[in-house]
């Protein structure tokens, strides 16, 4: 079949793309409002864009006519934490996507324990196996919907003990969850290891 995106509205295109671009890692983001409310929301348009310095990108859409609280908070305070959630946190990740007024903290609503960060003011989630303290670096807007691609630099990694072996994360032990189309999530299936291929070294370290 062929589908011309010019014939579709934004919502129908969104449903198609979120079913095609799968599985997607989830950035579970805490951010702080100007008034001190700790916001929590998941974003599955998420990737890394640089390794030195380490930089991550999330795409934040709108909540009705306005941008989501996370975008406002990051641009206002310049700090946030991106977490990677594991299977036991799947329900909390899903529930944190419920849209609340800006004065409501999803962290408090879900009764999630937090810990202080090392380099920034935004607190991190105690239960997440990975938390990355980020400072805002760049924001780009795309498309008619003006989705905001927010890029931040990781200034501190927090990784659960036992997940890193010889400098590499044990993915099976991390047990990350991923987003697919609709209110559906996925776990890691079979992990296939292929032979190493030649690549030009990316650095000397």
């Amino acid at each position: 079949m062929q589908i011309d995106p010019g014939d579709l509205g934004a919502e129908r295109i969104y449903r198609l793309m979120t079913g095609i671009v799968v599985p997607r890692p989830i950035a579970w983001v805490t951010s702080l409002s100007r008034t001190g409310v700790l916001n929590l929301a998941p974003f599955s348009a998420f990737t890394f864009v640089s390794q030195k310095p380490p930089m991550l990108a999330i795409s934040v859409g709108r909540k009705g006519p306005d941008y989501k609280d996370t975008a406002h908070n990051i641009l206002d305070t310049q700090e946030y934490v991106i977490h990677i959630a594991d299977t036991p946190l799947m329900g909390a990740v899903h529930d944190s996507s419920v849209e609340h007024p800006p004065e409501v903290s999803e962290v408090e609503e879900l009764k999630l324990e937090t810990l202080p960060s090392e380099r920034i003011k935004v607190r991190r989630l105690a239960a997440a196996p990975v938390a990355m303290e980020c400072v805002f670096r760049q924001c780009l807007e795309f498309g008619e919907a003006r989705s905001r691609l927010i890029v931040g630099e990781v200034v501190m990694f927090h990784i659960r003990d036992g997940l890193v072996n010889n400098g590499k994360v044990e993915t099976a032990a991390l047990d990350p969850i991923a987003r697919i189309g609709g209110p559906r999530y996925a776990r890691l299936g079979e992990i296939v290891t292929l032979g190493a291929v030649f690549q030009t070294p990316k650095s000397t370290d």
Side-chain angles (χ1 to χ4, degrees), residues 1 3 5 8 10-21:
M1 65 185 301
I3 300 175
L8 305 179
E11 189 62 30
R12 291 181 66 187
I13 295 174
Y14 176 83
R15 288 199 293 268
L16 274 177
M17 292 179 68
T18 55
I20 293 170
V21 185

Side-chain angles (χ1 to χ4, degrees), residues 57-141:
I58 58 173
S59 179
V60 183
R62 291 177 177 266
K63 182 172 63 175
D66 196 8
Y67 285 103
K68 293 184 178 180
D69 298 337
T70 300
H72 284 300
N73 293 347
I74 291 174
L75 295 180
D76 286 345
T77 69
Q78 309 277 293
E79 297 179 342
Y80 55 108
V81 183
I82 292 181
H83 306 80
I84 303 300
D86 56 7
T87 297
L89 292 169
M90 185 182 296
V93 170
H94 183 67
D95 291 342
S96 70
S97 66
V98 174
E99 293 184 352
H100 293 287
E103 64 272 15
V104 174
S105 170
E106 292 82 1
V107 175
E108 293 180 4
E109 289 288 307
L110 297 172
K111 297 179 172 56
L112 295 170
E113 180 184 354
T114 64
L115 296 169
S117 293
E118 294 292 324
R119 302 282 179 85
I120 64 176
K121 294 179 180 179
V122 182
R123 295 180 69 87
R124 58 191 175 93
L125 302 175
V130 175
M132 295 169 283
E133 299 179 26
C134 298
V135 293
F136 171 75
R137 288 291 179 255
Q138 191 173 5
C139 178
L140 301 173
E141 292 189 351

Side-chain angles (χ1 to χ4, degrees), residues 23 171-172 175-176 178 186-192:
T171 309
D175 189 24
R187 298 177 60 191
L188 293 177
E190 180 185 4
I191 297 177
V192 179

